């Protein structure tokens, strides 16, 4: 009986290689599912941030237009200098080539930045 107890205790000291491989395989499957999902979330948030910036530019241009600065074209730097934008969002800072054009009260955006800038 004592020998049987010693054998039982020896068998219960750790994980087998098969058990460890099974855990690693399960973790690999979870990561394979999660990584593309995380990429989609990041991509969607970048698109929504861009849309929010475009709405911000539209509102600033409309405010400038109705405040008596009725021009056909506004740059972001002009809108910031005149106080219609608090600051230019990251990715647009330091550029004067993003235009907001007024077509009869309807504002149209044209991003004239060169690719990579």
């Amino acid at each position: 009986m004592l020998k049987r107890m010693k054998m039982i205790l020896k068998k219960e000291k750790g994980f087998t290689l098969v058990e460890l491989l099974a855990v690693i395989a399960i973790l690999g499957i979870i990561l394979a599912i999660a990584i593309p999902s995380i990429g989609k979330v990041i991509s969607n948030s970048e698109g929504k941030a861009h849309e929010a910036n475009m709405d911000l530019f539209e509102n600033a241009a409309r405010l400038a237009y109705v405040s008596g600065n009725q021009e056909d074209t506004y740059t972001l730097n002009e809108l910031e200098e005149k106080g219609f934008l608090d600051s230019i969002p990251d990715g647009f800072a330091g550029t004067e080539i993003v235009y907001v054009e007024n077509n009869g009260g309807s504002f149209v955006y044209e991003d004239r930045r060169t690719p990579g800038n």
Side-chain angles (χ1 to χ4, degrees):
M1 176 128 168
L2 188 55
K3 287 183 182 180
R4 189 182 292 170
M5 292 281 269
K6 285 183 182 180
M7 291 177 94
I8 291 173
L9 289 177
K10 283 185 182 181
K11 289 182 183 180
E12 295 181 12
K13 279 196 173 179
F15 300 106
T16 65
L17 182 59
V18 173
E19 290 170 333
L20 291 174
L21 288 174
V23 169
I24 291 171
I26 291 169
L27 289 175
I29 291 169
I30 291 171
L31 285 175
I33 293 169
I35 289 175
S37 298
I38 293 169
K40 287 179 186 176
V41 168
I42 292 170
S43 177
N44 288 343
S45 66
E46 288 171 350
K48 289 182 181 183
H50 186 72
E51 289 175 19
N53 284 333
M54 292 297 109
D55 289 342
L56 177 70
F57 303 155
E58 176 184 359
N59 290 332
R62 284 184 178 159
L63 184 59
Y65 189 80
V66 299
S67 295
N69 297 308
Q70 297 180 351
E71 300 174 16
D72 289 335
T73 303
Y74 300 97
T75 65
L76 296 183
N77 287 343
E78 290 171 348
L79 292 172
E80 182 183 31
E81 288 170 5
K82 293 176 182 178
F84 299 110
L85 278 177
D86 288 334
S87 64
I88 298 174
D90 292 341
F92 294 96
T95 182
E96 288 194 24
I97 48 181
V98 178
Y99 291 88
V100 182
E101 296 182 6
N102 176 16
N103 294 335
S106 173
F107 291 88
V108 178
Y109 303 99
E110 186 176 338
D111 187 348
R112 296 183 183 171
R113 293 176 294 169
T114 56
N117 290 338

